[in-house]
Amino acid sequence: MPRRPHHDSGPLCVPVAAHALGEEAVLRVWVPDSYPVTAVALRAVVDGEIRTREARPLPAADAPSADAAPEEPTPAEAGAGTWWQVRLRAENPVVPYRFCLIGPGGGDVPAYAWLTAAGLIPWDVADATDFRLVVHPPAPAWVADAVVYQVFPDRFARSASAPVDAEGRPAPQDLPAWAVPMRWDEEPAVRGDITGRQLYGGDLDGVIERLDHIASLGADTVYLTPVFPAGSVHRYDAATFDRVDPLLGGDEALVRLSQALHARGMRLMLDLTTNHTGDTHEWFRAAQADADSVEAGFYLFTEHPHAYRSWLDAVPSLPKLDHRSPALRARMLEGPDSVVGRWLAPPVWADGWRIDVANMTGRHDDVDLAHEVARTLRGTMPEGTWLLAEHGHDATGDLAGDGWHGTMNYTGFTRPLWAWLAEPGSTLNWLGLPTTVPRLPGPAIARTLVDYNAHMPWPSRLHSQNQLSSHDTPRTRTVVGTRERQIVAVAALAALPGVPTLFAGDEIGAEGSTGEHSRTPMPWAAIAAVDDAAPADGSAPADGSAPGDGPASEGSAPVDAEVLRATRALLGLRRREPALRRGGIGLLHVEEDLLVLARTHPEGDVIVVLARASRPGPVELDLRGWTGIIGLEEIHAEGNVGGSADGALLTIRAAGPGAAFWRARRS
C-alpha cells in the first residue's frame, strides 16, 4: 500500500471546526514514518494574499482525536507515523488552504510536495483543488445523516381510493387533454412525445400508503418530482405554482403526506423549475396576451408574442424565465409569500427544494445571475431547510458561496460508478455524451472520485445527492447488468461521502434503458409477495431457492429480492455508522477491479472494500501506514468479498463482485 501523508475535511483531521468569521479551526495531517519530513507548513489564502504557518507534531497522548494540543507539542509516534497540527482562523467566509511538506528527499519521497484535496503533488499546482475552510451557514444538520428516496408520483402508487375504469386505467373526473390513461402493469414508452403523456394514476395518498416500505429501506426523506399542474405527466412544464395538481390529490393530499412524514420523523423535499415554466403557465399566458404586462418581463421574448427563448432554445413548450425582472424575483423567489417561501410554510411545511436545471437558471448570453438567484433562494428559505441544485456536469464553480447547499453529484459519483460497474459492451448512452457507457479501470475511477470532488468544498460534497440513477437516466440494473454488480453499486452508495439517494424501483432491480423507460410503475403485489416470503431476520430463503427469485408478476417489473434485502442492509448500515455519514475519506488501495477506502471518524473508522470482479490472489494491506489501525471487526459483507486481520495487516479476498465493511479500532 502506498504510504503517503493524508489530510481531509472530516472530523478526524479537523477535530475543531470554525463555524463563524473569527473562529479558529484545528487542522491535522497524518505523516507516516515511511515519508520522512523535517517540516510541515500550512499555506492559506486570506484577503487574496498568502498566509503561512508552521505545523507542529503532536504527542502520542493527544493523537489522533484530542480537541486541542498543548502550546509546545513534542514529536512522538502514533502507530506508524505522526500527526502534525496547526490552527487556521476563518478570516474570510471561504479560506483556501494546503500543506507544504519538506524533507530530505530520496527514493520515492520528494524533498518538496504540496498536499491538497487532490492528493500529494511534488510540484507547484494551481489553487483550484486546495482544501477550503467554509463558514457560510451550512446545510441543516439532518442533511448529512439523511437517506433520500426519490418518487416520481404518477408511477409510484395509486391510493386505494384512486378512480379507475373497468380495465384498470385511471379515470379522474377531469382527464387532461394531453393524458393517455395506462394500466398499472403496462410498460412505459422508451422515447418520443408519448412518454410525457402516459398517465398511470399514481397520487400522493398512494405515497402515504407506502411509507412503511420507504422507511424499511433506511430512507428518512421523500423527494417528490414536481407536483404542480402541467401539460405533461413529468410536470416540469408547470401551468401554475400556486396549487397541487388535482390528479395527485390537490393541496390537501400534499398536506396529508407532509403530516404523515413528519409524524414518523421523516422529511419532505419538493421540486421547482426556476429556469422555465410551461407554455400553459398562467404567467406565460398573461405575458403573451399583453406585451405591456408585468408578466411579459418574466420571459425572454425576441418577437412578441410567439418568438422567445426556451429551454436549450429547442423546446418551445418550456419558455425561459428572465431573472433580471424584479417582479419575477419578488413573485417567485423573495420572501415568505413567494413561490419558494409558501410551500415551506404551514400547512405544508416542506423541508427543502430541489431546483431543476439550476445550472441554467439566470444564465443566457451575457447575463449570469445564477449565484444571485441561489443566494436569494437560500435567503428566503427558513432555517432547517435544504437547497439542492440539479447540475449534470461540473457544478463546483457554483458551490463555494452562500447559495446552493449541494448538487445532484452526477459527475463526482454517478458517472464514475457507471463507468466502473457497467455491463461490458453496454449500448446505453453515457449521460448525454455521443457515446456508449465505457468500462473504465479502477485507477481511472479513483482519479475522478478524488480529482473532481477535490474542487468541491467539503460541506457541499457532504450535502450533495449521490444517485446511481434517477428519473432522467437509465436504471442502475440496466447499466450494470447483473445483480452482483448492482449490490456493489448500492454498497458504494452507502459508503461514499454525500447523501444517498435512491430512485424508487432501484431497490427491486427495476430496469429501464432511458429516463422515460425507467419511470416504471412499482409492482406492489410482487414486492408484498417477496416480503411475505422473506425470513424475519432478512436472511436468504430457507427453502433452497435462489435469493432474488421473487415473483415476476405485474407485467414487466420483476422483483429481485436479494437486491431489496441488500439495499435495506447496506443503507441501514449507513444509518448506524457515523463514519459512513460524516467521516473523512481516504483511498487505501486501487486496482482495475478493486477499490479499498477508509471513512474516518473519532467514533470509529470503517474500512470499505468494493470489488467488481474476482481477483486471483489476496491483497495484503498494512494499515499502519495510513492511520495506525490496530484491529478490525467485520460488520457487514455482501457477495464474494471477505478478509481477515492480523494486527494491522488486512488480507482481502475477492471471489467475484461484492463488498465488505469493517469497523476499525485505533491505537
Side-chain angles (χ1 to χ4, degrees), residues 296-386:
F298 291 7
Y299 296 91
L300 293 158
F301 287 99
T302 56
E303 185 177 340
H304 191 274
H306 298 302
Y308 49 86
R309 302 290 292 272
S310 64
W311 181 54
L312 300 178
D313 280 336
V315 186
S317 63
L318 301 176
K320 186 174 174 67
L321 292 165
D322 185 355
H323 285 274
R324 292 175 298 181
S325 165
L328 171 64
R329 293 197 302 270
R331 197 177 298 185
M332 189 171 209
L333 307 175
E334 297 172 348
D337 295 328
S338 65
V339 172
V340 168
R342 172 186 170 185
W343 298 99
L344 303 178
V348 174
W349 287 117
D351 298 284
W353 284 110
R354 178 265 194 188
I355 303 300
D356 183 55
V357 289
N359 55 301
M360 299 179 68
T361 294
R363 286 176 168 145
H364 58 91
D365 300 334
D366 60 344
V367 175
D368 190 344
L369 300 175
H371 292 180
E372 181 179 327
V373 169
R375 283 194 299 271
T376 304
L377 272 161
R378 190 157 161 180
T380 293
M381 294 175 65
E383 185 177 356
T385 54
W386 184 20

Side-chain angles (χ1 to χ4, degrees), residues 591-612:
E591 297 181 2
E592 180 167 339
D593 297 319
L594 192 72
L595 300 176
V596 185
L597 59 96
R599 298 298 308 276
T600 58
H601 194 278
E603 294 183 30
D605 298 346
V606 175
I607 308 298
V608 181
V609 179
L610 304 172
R612 73 173 180 183

Side-chain angles (χ1 to χ4, degrees), residues 228-592:
F228 304 116
S232 68
V233 73
H234 58 68
R235 298 186 172 88
Y236 285 102
D237 55 341
T240 180
F241 296 125
D242 289 343
R243 61 186 181 276
V244 175
D245 196 332
L247 293 172
L248 298 177
D251 291 10
E252 297 81 5
L254 186 62
V255 171
R256 288 192 295 271
L257 174 57
S258 180
Q259 291 173 340
L261 286 166
H262 291 143
R264 290 170 171 255
M266 300 170 75
R267 292 178 170 85
L268 173 65
M269 190 169 193
L270 300 178
D271 200 330
L272 179 66
T273 55
T274 55
N275 178 71
H276 55 261
T277 66
D279 61 355
T280 61
H281 198 284
E282 56 199 9
W283 299 347
F284 190 67
R285 292 287 175 88
Q288 284 189 308
D290 182 358
D292 296 322
S293 66
V294 170
E295 290 82 2
F298 291 7
Y299 296 91
L300 293 158
F301 287 99
T302 56
E303 185 177 340
H304 191 274
H306 298 302
Y308 49 86
R309 302 290 292 272
S310 64
W311 181 54
L312 300 178
D313 280 336
V315 186
S317 63
L318 301 176
K320 186 174 174 67
L321 292 165
D322 185 355
H323 285 274
R324 292 175 298 181
S325 165
L328 171 64
R329 293 197 302 270
R331 197 177 298 185
M332 189 171 209
L333 307 175
E334 297 172 348
D337 295 328
S338 65
V339 172
V340 168
R342 172 186 170 185
W343 298 99
L344 303 178
V348 174
W349 287 117
D351 298 284
W353 284 110
R354 178 265 194 188
I355 303 300
D356 183 55
V357 289
N359 55 301
M360 299 179 68
T361 294
R363 286 176 168 145
H364 58 91
D365 300 334
D366 60 344
V367 175
D368 190 344
L369 300 175
H371 292 180
E372 181 179 327
V373 169
R375 283 194 299 271
T376 304
L377 272 161
R378 190 157 161 180
T380 293
M381 294 175 65
E383 185 177 356
T385 54
W386 184 20
L387 178 58
L388 187 81
E390 183 197 22
H391 204 305
H393 51 100
D394 183 358
T396 58
D398 290 343
L399 294 176
D402 55 353
W404 319 116
H405 289 129
T407 185
M408 299 180 78
N409 198 7
Y410 283 107
T411 300
F413 181 84
T414 315
R415 289 174 63 89
L417 265 295
W418 275 30
W420 191 51
L421 295 171
E423 175 79 1
S426 172
T427 60
L428 295 174
N429 177 265
W430 197 26
L431 293 175
L433 285 178
T435 182
T436 55
V437 181
R439 196 166 196 262
L440 301 180
I445 302 311
R447 287 295 299 266
T448 298
L449 291 173
V450 173
D451 291 357
Y452 172 77
N453 288 303
H455 291 77
M456 188 183 296
W458 179 253
S460 299
R461 185 178 183 187
L462 208 62
H463 301 131
S464 289
Q465 282 186 345
N466 290 340
Q467 60 281 317
L468 294 165
S469 74
S470 73
H471 66 295
D472 285 327
T473 75
R475 283 280 187 184
T476 305
R477 181 58 163 268
T478 305
V479 172
V480 302
T482 69
R483 171 192 302 155
E484 292 76 16
R485 286 197 295 269
Q486 184 175 1
I487 291 174
V488 177
V490 177
L493 190 69
L496 290 169
V499 181
T501 301
L502 192 70
F503 179 37
D506 261 16
E507 73 271 26
I508 60 172
E511 298 205 36
S513 58
T514 66
E516 291 82 3
H517 190 222
S518 295
R519 301 169 190 178
T520 306
M522 293 285 283
W524 289 112
I527 293 170
V530 167
D531 281 340
D532 290 345
D537 62 1
S539 59
D543 61 4
S545 62
D549 289 343
S553 60
E554 300 195 52
S556 62
V559 174
D560 189 325
E562 182 61 12
V563 168
L564 179 59
R565 182 205 62 77
T567 300
R568 287 168 170 162
L570 288 163
L571 294 182
L573 178 66
R574 166 87 177 207
R575 297 203 64 82
R576 294 192 301 274
E577 295 295 328
L580 296 180
R581 302 193 309 274
R582 294 172 172 265
I585 183 171
L587 282 171
L588 301 182
H589 185 79
V590 178
E591 297 181 2
E592 180 167 339

Side-chain angles (χ1 to χ4, degrees), residues 203-220:
D203 55 26
L204 298 181
D205 285 315
V207 181
I208 297 172
E209 293 170 8
R210 301 298 177 178
L211 289 183
D212 283 347
H213 172 80
I214 296 172
S216 78
L217 299 164
D220 62 359

